[in-house]
Amino acid sequence: MLTDAKAFVYLHKQVYDDFLSAVAWKVSQEAALELAALHTCREFVEKQSKSCLDHKLNIDSIDIDGALSAFIPEAVRMQHNMKPAQLRKQFCSLLKKYAALPHSESVLRSLSILAHIVKYDVEVFKASLGAGWNTPVDLLVGAEVGLSYRINEMSKPTRLCELRNIICLSTRPMDHSGKCIVQIRLSGSAQPLLITVANRSIAECLAHLLDGYQRMFNQADSVYKLKGLEHCESVDMKACSTKLPPPPINTIERTTFESDESPSHSRN
């Protein structure tokens, strides 16, 4: 990840956005202040670099109250009955602490904090197994879970395949409904695995993600083909559709990829 600067920054942006939208309301005040300070410092430096101005952080030029409101939920700001003046003082102290921190180190520090708050090593997509929108499930993609699915958040994930075994990926619209099919060919399997998602954007996102993992595991070139399924309603495709297995018996358990108390959230 560190060898690809753009991917590294994009990962952090995704995780930080998830944090703000899903779990920021329940974290400790200390973690929230530190994350807000790191973000504010990076944002200031980026704006200064675009305007060719001095990159040195000037606390007086930052809207402290605006930053606190934007990046720290009110519920967190009110923790410990802390007075606004005290909160501002702590925030300004952290701004000074991280003012000179290089961008990459700032992002790493932010991710190290977020790692204890947001589970960011799994992506979740709403999808249907096979060619057709029947019984949608949560499709999970990650280094540890491989390509798996779960019936709901309370069920144990069932693994569909190992990401390193993917040898070809393609996407194609299913019909006029706008839904798309991702075709996954696996080593050692004669028939492809078909997954239906809600639209083309999600299909491409899923295909790129799967391709990225297989490239990482296999240290190989891309296997994502932009042109793929030509006859999605054909008998041949229906024949190779993957049928949804029944939910596992007596394996219901809590399986989440972020804090238990956080609202249901996925990145798709």
Side-chain angles (χ1 to χ4, degrees), residues 32-42 91 94-95 98:
L33 279 169
E34 190 169 0
L35 287 168
L38 287 163
H39 182 84
T40 301
C41 288
R42 288 194 304 271
F91 186 60
L94 287 168
L95 288 176
Y98 292 122

mmCIF file with all atom_site columns, all heavy atoms in Angstrom, residues 32-42 91 94-95 98:
data_model
loop_
_atom_site.group_PDB
_atom_site.id
_atom_site.type_symbol
_atom_site.label_atom_id
_atom_site.label_alt_id
_atom_site.label_comp_id
_atom_site.label_asym_id
_atom_site.label_entity_id
_atom_site.label_seq_id
_atom_site.pdbx_PDB_ins_code
_atom_site.Cartn_x
_atom_site.Cartn_y
_atom_site.Cartn_z
_atom_site.occupancy
_atom_site.B_iso_or_equiv
_atom_site.pdbx_formal_charge
_atom_site.auth_seq_id
_atom_site.auth_comp_id
_atom_site.auth_asym_id
_atom_site.auth_atom_id
_atom_site.pdbx_PDB_model_num
ATOM 1   N N   . ALA A 1 32 ? -11.093 11.628 18.935 1.00 0.00 ? 32 ALA A N   1
ATOM 2   C CA  . ALA A 1 32 ? -11.770 12.536 18.009 1.00 0.00 ? 32 ALA A CA  1
ATOM 3   C C   . ALA A 1 32 ? -10.973 13.820 17.813 1.00 0.00 ? 32 ALA A C   1
ATOM 4   O O   . ALA A 1 32 ? -10.835 14.318 16.688 1.00 0.00 ? 32 ALA A O   1
ATOM 5   C CB  . ALA A 1 32 ? -13.166 12.858 18.533 1.00 0.00 ? 32 ALA A CB  1
ATOM 6   N N   . LEU A 1 33 ? -10.426 14.368 18.889 1.00 0.00 ? 33 LEU A N   1
ATOM 7   C CA  . LEU A 1 33 ? -9.628  15.594 18.799 1.00 0.00 ? 33 LEU A CA  1
ATOM 8   C C   . LEU A 1 33 ? -8.356  15.372 17.982 1.00 0.00 ? 33 LEU A C   1
ATOM 9   O O   . LEU A 1 33 ? -7.987  16.204 17.149 1.00 0.00 ? 33 LEU A O   1
ATOM 10  C CB  . LEU A 1 33 ? -9.266  16.078 20.205 1.00 0.00 ? 33 LEU A CB  1
ATOM 11  C CG  . LEU A 1 33 ? -10.339 16.866 20.961 1.00 0.00 ? 33 LEU A CG  1
ATOM 12  C CD1 . LEU A 1 33 ? -9.946  17.030 22.418 1.00 0.00 ? 33 LEU A CD1 1
ATOM 13  C CD2 . LEU A 1 33 ? -10.559 18.233 20.312 1.00 0.00 ? 33 LEU A CD2 1
ATOM 14  N N   . GLU A 1 34 ? -7.707  14.241 18.222 1.00 0.00 ? 34 GLU A N   1
ATOM 15  C CA  . GLU A 1 34 ? -6.467  13.963 17.502 1.00 0.00 ? 34 GLU A CA  1
ATOM 16  C C   . GLU A 1 34 ? -6.724  13.776 16.010 1.00 0.00 ? 34 GLU A C   1
ATOM 17  O O   . GLU A 1 34 ? -5.989  14.309 15.166 1.00 0.00 ? 34 GLU A O   1
ATOM 18  C CB  . GLU A 1 34 ? -5.784  12.731 18.090 1.00 0.00 ? 34 GLU A CB  1
ATOM 19  C CG  . GLU A 1 34 ? -4.368  12.521 17.565 1.00 0.00 ? 34 GLU A CG  1
ATOM 20  C CD  . GLU A 1 34 ? -3.601  11.467 18.331 1.00 0.00 ? 34 GLU A CD  1
ATOM 21  O OE1 . GLU A 1 34 ? -4.153  10.889 19.287 1.00 0.00 ? 34 GLU A OE1 1
ATOM 22  O OE2 . GLU A 1 34 ? -2.435  11.220 17.964 1.00 0.00 ? 34 GLU A OE2 1
ATOM 23  N N   . LEU A 1 35 ? -7.752  13.021 15.662 1.00 0.00 ? 35 LEU A N   1
ATOM 24  C CA  . LEU A 1 35 ? -8.092  12.820 14.248 1.00 0.00 ? 35 LEU A CA  1
ATOM 25  C C   . LEU A 1 35 ? -8.466  14.143 13.583 1.00 0.00 ? 35 LEU A C   1
ATOM 26  O O   . LEU A 1 35 ? -8.075  14.408 12.444 1.00 0.00 ? 35 LEU A O   1
ATOM 27  C CB  . LEU A 1 35 ? -9.247  11.827 14.122 1.00 0.00 ? 35 LEU A CB  1
ATOM 28  C CG  . LEU A 1 35 ? -8.905  10.365 14.405 1.00 0.00 ? 35 LEU A CG  1
ATOM 29  C CD1 . LEU A 1 35 ? -10.174 9.532  14.541 1.00 0.00 ? 35 LEU A CD1 1
ATOM 30  C CD2 . LEU A 1 35 ? -8.016  9.798  13.305 1.00 0.00 ? 35 LEU A CD2 1
ATOM 31  N N   . ALA A 1 36 ? -9.224  14.975 14.291 1.00 0.00 ? 36 ALA A N   1
ATOM 32  C CA  . ALA A 1 36 ? -9.627  16.266 13.750 1.00 0.00 ? 36 ALA A CA  1
ATOM 33  C C   . ALA A 1 36 ? -8.423  17.175 13.529 1.00 0.00 ? 36 ALA A C   1
ATOM 34  O O   . ALA A 1 36 ? -8.332  17.894 12.521 1.00 0.00 ? 36 ALA A O   1
ATOM 35  C CB  . ALA A 1 36 ? -10.632 16.937 14.674 1.00 0.00 ? 36 ALA A CB  1
ATOM 36  N N   . ALA A 1 37 ? -7.475  17.151 14.467 1.00 0.00 ? 37 ALA A N   1
ATOM 37  C CA  . ALA A 1 37 ? -6.287  17.979 14.344 1.00 0.00 ? 37 ALA A CA  1
ATOM 38  C C   . ALA A 1 37 ? -5.417  17.528 13.169 1.00 0.00 ? 37 ALA A C   1
ATOM 39  O O   . ALA A 1 37 ? -4.918  18.356 12.389 1.00 0.00 ? 37 ALA A O   1
ATOM 40  C CB  . ALA A 1 37 ? -5.485  17.928 15.645 1.00 0.00 ? 37 ALA A CB  1
ATOM 41  N N   . LEU A 1 38 ? -5.241  16.231 13.041 1.00 0.00 ? 38 LEU A N   1
ATOM 42  C CA  . LEU A 1 38 ? -4.458  15.703 11.916 1.00 0.00 ? 38 LEU A CA  1
ATOM 43  C C   . LEU A 1 38 ? -5.084  16.089 10.587 1.00 0.00 ? 38 LEU A C   1
ATOM 44  O O   . LEU A 1 38 ? -4.394  16.532 9.653  1.00 0.00 ? 38 LEU A O   1
ATOM 45  C CB  . LEU A 1 38 ? -4.357  14.179 12.029 1.00 0.00 ? 38 LEU A CB  1
ATOM 46  C CG  . LEU A 1 38 ? -3.437  13.629 13.129 1.00 0.00 ? 38 LEU A CG  1
ATOM 47  C CD1 . LEU A 1 38 ? -3.745  12.171 13.409 1.00 0.00 ? 38 LEU A CD1 1
ATOM 48  C CD2 . LEU A 1 38 ? -1.974  13.812 12.731 1.00 0.00 ? 38 LEU A CD2 1
ATOM 49  N N   . HIS A 1 39 ? -6.392  15.938 10.493 1.00 0.00 ? 39 HIS A N   1
ATOM 50  C CA  . HIS A 1 39 ? -7.100  16.270 9.254  1.00 0.00 ? 39 HIS A CA  1
ATOM 51  C C   . HIS A 1 39 ? -7.009  17.760 8.957  1.00 0.00 ? 39 HIS A C   1
ATOM 52  O O   . HIS A 1 39 ? -6.773  18.164 7.809  1.00 0.00 ? 39 HIS A O   1
ATOM 53  C CB  . HIS A 1 39 ? -8.565  15.848 9.357  1.00 0.00 ? 39 HIS A CB  1
ATOM 54  C CG  . HIS A 1 39 ? -9.353  16.101 8.119  1.00 0.00 ? 39 HIS A CG  1
ATOM 55  N ND1 . HIS A 1 39 ? -9.380  15.216 7.060  1.00 0.00 ? 39 HIS A ND1 1
ATOM 56  C CD2 . HIS A 1 39 ? -10.133 17.161 7.742  1.00 0.00 ? 39 HIS A CD2 1
ATOM 57  C CE1 . HIS A 1 39 ? -10.140 15.711 6.099  1.00 0.00 ? 39 HIS A CE1 1
ATOM 58  N NE2 . HIS A 1 39 ? -10.609 16.880 6.491  1.00 0.00 ? 39 HIS A NE2 1
ATOM 59  N N   . THR A 1 40 ? -7.194  18.583 9.959  1.00 0.00 ? 40 THR A N   1
ATOM 60  C CA  . THR A 1 40 ? -7.149  20.036 9.772  1.00 0.00 ? 40 THR A CA  1
ATOM 61  C C   . THR A 1 40 ? -5.776  20.494 9.300  1.00 0.00 ? 40 THR A C   1
ATOM 62  O O   . THR A 1 40 ? -5.662  21.347 8.410  1.00 0.00 ? 40 THR A O   1
ATOM 63  C CB  . THR A 1 40 ? -7.523  20.752 11.077 1.00 0.00 ? 40 THR A CB  1
ATOM 64  O OG1 . THR A 1 40 ? -8.839  20.346 11.482 1.00 0.00 ? 40 THR A OG1 1
ATOM 65  C CG2 . THR A 1 40 ? -7.517  22.264 10.892 1.00 0.00 ? 40 THR A CG2 1
ATOM 66  N N   . CYS A 1 41 ? -4.723  19.937 9.875  1.00 0.00 ? 41 CYS A N   1
ATOM 67  C CA  . CYS A 1 41 ? -3.356  20.287 9.465  1.00 0.00 ? 41 CYS A CA  1
ATOM 68  C C   . CYS A 1 41 ? -3.105  19.902 8.007  1.00 0.00 ? 41 CYS A C   1
ATOM 69  O O   . CYS A 1 41 ? -2.549  20.682 7.234  1.00 0.00 ? 41 CYS A O   1
ATOM 70  C CB  . CYS A 1 41 ? -2.341  19.603 10.374 1.00 0.00 ? 41 CYS A CB  1
ATOM 71  S SG  . CYS A 1 41 ? -2.251  20.289 12.041 1.00 0.00 ? 41 CYS A SG  1
ATOM 72  N N   . ARG A 1 42 ? -3.523  18.701 7.631  1.00 0.00 ? 42 ARG A N   1
ATOM 73  C CA  . ARG A 1 42 ? -3.327  18.261 6.244  1.00 0.00 ? 42 ARG A CA  1
ATOM 74  C C   . ARG A 1 42 ? -4.108  19.150 5.283  1.00 0.00 ? 42 ARG A C   1
ATOM 75  O O   . ARG A 1 42 ? -3.609  19.532 4.217  1.00 0.00 ? 42 ARG A O   1
ATOM 76  C CB  . ARG A 1 42 ? -3.769  16.798 6.083  1.00 0.00 ? 42 ARG A CB  1
ATOM 77  C CG  . ARG A 1 42 ? -2.859  15.785 6.730  1.00 0.00 ? 42 ARG A CG  1
ATOM 78  C CD  . ARG A 1 42 ? -3.191  14.376 6.233  1.00 0.00 ? 42 ARG A CD  1
ATOM 79  N NE  . ARG A 1 42 ? -4.586  14.031 6.458  1.00 0.00 ? 42 ARG A NE  1
ATOM 80  C CZ  . ARG A 1 42 ? -5.047  13.471 7.561  1.00 0.00 ? 42 ARG A CZ  1
ATOM 81  N NH1 . ARG A 1 42 ? -4.227  13.200 8.565  1.00 0.00 ? 42 ARG A NH1 1
ATOM 82  N NH2 . ARG A 1 42 ? -6.332  13.166 7.686  1.00 0.00 ? 42 ARG A NH2 1
ATOM 83  N N   . PHE A 1 91 ? -7.473  21.377 21.332 1.00 0.00 ? 91 PHE A N   1
ATOM 84  C CA  . PHE A 1 91 ? -7.410  21.248 19.876 1.00 0.00 ? 91 PHE A CA  1
ATOM 85  C C   . PHE A 1 91 ? -6.245  22.061 19.323 1.00 0.00 ? 91 PHE A C   1
ATOM 86  O O   . PHE A 1 91 ? -5.491  21.574 18.467 1.00 0.00 ? 91 PHE A O   1
ATOM 87  C CB  . PHE A 1 91 ? -8.732  21.713 19.268 1.00 0.00 ? 91 PHE A CB  1
ATOM 88  C CG  . PHE A 1 91 ? -8.832  21.493 17.786 1.00 0.00 ? 91 PHE A CG  1
ATOM 89  C CD1 . PHE A 1 91 ? -8.743  20.226 17.250 1.00 0.00 ? 91 PHE A CD1 1
ATOM 90  C CD2 . PHE A 1 91 ? -9.016  22.564 16.922 1.00 0.00 ? 91 PHE A CD2 1
ATOM 91  C CE1 . PHE A 1 91 ? -8.832  20.009 15.879 1.00 0.00 ? 91 PHE A CE1 1
ATOM 92  C CE2 . PHE A 1 91 ? -9.114  22.367 15.560 1.00 0.00 ? 91 PHE A CE2 1
ATOM 93  C CZ  . PHE A 1 91 ? -9.021  21.087 15.039 1.00 0.00 ? 91 PHE A CZ  1
ATOM 94  N N   . LEU A 1 94 ? -2.968  20.337 19.884 1.00 0.00 ? 94 LEU A N   1
ATOM 95  C CA  . LEU A 1 94 ? -2.735  19.242 18.940 1.00 0.00 ? 94 LEU A CA  1
ATOM 96  C C   . LEU A 1 94 ? -2.384  19.770 17.554 1.00 0.00 ? 94 LEU A C   1
ATOM 97  O O   . LEU A 1 94 ? -1.570  19.169 16.840 1.00 0.00 ? 94 LEU A O   1
ATOM 98  C CB  . LEU A 1 94 ? -3.976  18.355 18.871 1.00 0.00 ? 94 LEU A CB  1
ATOM 99  C CG  . LEU A 1 94 ? -4.225  17.465 20.091 1.00 0.00 ? 94 LEU A CG  1
ATOM 100 C CD1 . LEU A 1 94 ? -5.617  16.842 20.050 1.00 0.00 ? 94 LEU A CD1 1
ATOM 101 C CD2 . LEU A 1 94 ? -3.160  16.372 20.190 1.00 0.00 ? 94 LEU A CD2 1
ATOM 102 N N   . LEU A 1 95 ? -2.961  20.886 17.166 1.00 0.00 ? 95 LEU A N   1
ATOM 103 C CA  . LEU A 1 95 ? -2.621  21.493 15.873 1.00 0.00 ? 95 LEU A CA  1
ATOM 104 C C   . LEU A 1 95 ? -1.143  21.870 15.837 1.00 0.00 ? 95 LEU A C   1
ATOM 105 O O   . LEU A 1 95 ? -0.447  21.631 14.846 1.00 0.00 ? 95 LEU A O   1
ATOM 106 C CB  . LEU A 1 95 ? -3.480  22.732 15.621 1.00 0.00 ? 95 LEU A CB  1
ATOM 107 C CG  . LEU A 1 95 ? -4.956  22.503 15.292 1.00 0.00 ? 95 LEU A CG  1
ATOM 108 C CD1 . LEU A 1 95 ? -5.686  23.836 15.176 1.00 0.00 ? 95 LEU A CD1 1
ATOM 109 C CD2 . LEU A 1 95 ? -5.119  21.714 13.995 1.00 0.00 ? 95 LEU A CD2 1
ATOM 110 N N   . TYR A 1 98 ? 1.078   18.675 15.515 1.00 0.00 ? 98 TYR A N   1
ATOM 111 C CA  . TYR A 1 98 ? 1.125   17.999 14.217 1.00 0.00 ? 98 TYR A CA  1
ATOM 112 C C   . TYR A 1 98 ? 1.360   18.947 13.037 1.00 0.00 ? 98 TYR A C   1
ATOM 113 O O   . TYR A 1 98 ? 1.338   18.515 11.885 1.00 0.00 ? 98 TYR A O   1
ATOM 114 C CB  . TYR A 1 98 ? -0.183  17.239 13.989 1.00 0.00 ? 98 TYR A CB  1
ATOM 115 C CG  . TYR A 1 98 ? -0.370  16.076 14.919 1.00 0.00 ? 98 TYR A CG  1
ATOM 116 C CD1 . TYR A 1 98 ? -1.485  16.000 15.760 1.00 0.00 ? 98 TYR A CD1 1
ATOM 117 C CD2 . TYR A 1 98 ? 0.567   15.055 14.987 1.00 0.00 ? 98 TYR A CD2 1
ATOM 118 C CE1 . TYR A 1 98 ? -1.664  14.922 16.626 1.00 0.00 ? 98 TYR A CE1 1
ATOM 119 C CE2 . TYR A 1 98 ? 0.408   13.984 15.846 1.00 0.00 ? 98 TYR A CE2 1
ATOM 120 C CZ  . TYR A 1 98 ? -0.708  13.923 16.670 1.00 0.00 ? 98 TYR A CZ  1
ATOM 121 O OH  . TYR A 1 98 ? -0.878  12.867 17.520 1.00 0.00 ? 98 TYR A OH  1
#
